[in-house]
Amino acid sequence: MREAGEEDGGVLVGGDAYGGVRLTPATRPRRPVRSAKARRRNVIVAGLLSTGILVTTGVVWATPRQIGTVDAGVTAPKSQGAENILLVGVDKRDDLTRQQQNQLKLGRESGQRTDTMMVIHLSEDHQRVTVVSLPRDTWTTIPGKGDHKINSAYQFGGPKLTMQTVRAATGLEINRYIEVNILGFIDVVDSLGGVTVCTPIPINDPKTGLNLLAGTHQLQGAQALGYARTRATARSDLDRIDRQQQVISALLNRALSADTLANPAKLAAFVNSTLSTVKVDPDDGLIGLATQLRDVSLEDVRFADVPLANVDFKAPTGESAVLWDRPAARDMFRRIDADQDLAKPVPTKTATPSPAKTVVPPESVTVKVMNGTLITGLGARTKSALVASGFKVPGEPGNTGKKDHKQTLVRYAAGQEAAARLVASVIPGAELKQADVEGVEVIAGSDQPKIKKLKQPDTPASKPSSTPTTKTAMENICKK
């Protein structure tokens, strides 16, 4: 785990290749050429490498053996229906040469850590993909290890502990695990001929070797990696998540383009480089997932961020971290678990007002006050307190025939219950009773209750929106 002030070697996106691997397409008989429409339907979300998307056609069926495996202890994938996928981008440097580390400006630390973590939800109808980026600096509880940044779970216990940590933080069952690493990401980008990104501000980061002017840029693999890794902007890791999502969308767009789909050699290079970068749980069934996602398009992939309460939290260890807005995050993951579209507002139910928080305004309630005791001035004091709470009390208070009322009584005519309950809500201990009277009547008893100020109901405007901000992959693409 990094100490405060340590050089960042984070990798947001990448593949699991340990030496700049790029596999050439296997020599096999060519399949019949499909129509562009049919090929597009068969382009599916799966690689979820750093792109979150893997283009899959007939080439995939011929090369499943390229996919590596890793035991993450996932909940068995469903044969159909909604499911959740955990994608981790792993920064593994042990097998890199000194020249490769210097070229990529990764530093020379050994070990492994996760610098990308995304939960990807596939809807039950197979029409929507929701991608939630989990900030690597999230301060959370790692089972059996105490409180740490979420990206240290991999260091402590590998894929299994990472899975347990994400389950505990989100409350979601995870059905698939996909792990990727750095050099494979470079190969995937290069196999597509690069990606187009756009930055509203200049970026100059000596740590990653990235120097870009504000504007639109065509980046090759190593540059794209630097763009996804850099934290040299105002919001640090949060800006990096935004750039990561932009790179994912750019890769999606390039992979789905006619230039890729209609070019067998380019498509094969992309599929082979992607498959060779991916490690999945042994029981993952990635090919089965591919068939489920054949109709997904750019507009169907939506990105969301975890709501945050503190972006500059100082951990007990001295590290800078971020804290989730737990109620809002809990609500977002609950909606994901219920397979709801995060882009749609949550339907709100109109609750029945409680007696103390009725929608009846006090100025619309007219009250008659009677003194039910021998206590002089009790009726006048009761009137003054009710007027102070906003009620209308015309005329002078009267007296009841009997002067033995011990408990203050609020009586009301048929149809006046809401108004009477509002009056009773400010008189502690008052008895409420329907009677043959006009409107609402208060008989002050010898209990002489202290009349409270009326508590106004909460207004809807004071409650935060429960609809998180989302953006589709299409919206993330740089417009020319």
Side-chain angles (χ1 to χ4, degrees), residues 235-284:
R235 296 194 313 148
S236 188
D237 191 46
L238 302 182
D239 282 341
R240 186 163 68 164
I241 286 176
D242 290 342
R243 284 189 290 272
Q244 175 191 15
Q245 293 176 355
Q246 186 185 134
V247 170
I248 290 171
S249 301
L251 281 168
L252 250 180
N253 186 47
R254 185 60 62 90
L256 289 169
S257 69
D259 180 54
T260 300
L261 295 175
N263 187 327
K266 190 172 184 178
L267 181 59
F270 171 63
V271 171
N272 281 332
S273 63
T274 299
L275 290 176
S276 66
T277 73
V278 175
K279 280 188 175 182
V280 299
D281 193 88
D283 298 323
D284 185 82

Side-chain angles (χ1 to χ4, degrees), residues 329-451:
R330 183 166 53 247
D331 182 67
M332 182 180 74
F333 288 116
R334 177 194 59 76
R335 292 183 60 191
I336 289 174
D337 191 47
D339 202 32
Q340 296 176 2
D341 188 347
L342 294 184
K344 295 181 179 179
V346 179
T348 56
K349 296 181 180 179
T350 303
T352 302
S354 64
K357 294 187 178 181
T358 177
V359 295
V360 177
E363 60 269 18
S364 69
V365 179
T366 300
V367 183
K368 180 181 179 180
V369 175
M370 304 284 285
N371 186 349
T373 73
L374 293 173
I375 302 172
T376 303
L378 179 59
R381 294 198 302 272
T382 303
K383 172 183 175 177
S384 295
L386 289 172
V387 170
S389 285
F391 297 100
K392 291 181 179 179
V393 187
E396 295 299 322
N399 296 297
T400 59
K402 292 183 178 181
K403 309 293 185 181
D404 58 354
H405 287 273
K406 295 181 179 180
Q407 183 180 14
T408 298
L409 176 64
V410 178
R411 304 196 299 177
Y412 62 92
Q416 294 293 311
E417 182 178 1
R421 286 188 178 279
L422 182 62
V423 173
S425 72
V426 301
I427 308 177
E431 181 184 358
L432 193 65
K433 183 178 181 180
Q434 183 174 337
D436 185 17
V437 296
E438 292 184 4
V440 179
E441 180 182 275
V442 173
I443 299 177
S446 58
D447 55 350
Q448 301 185 67
K450 185 176 181 180
I451 297 175

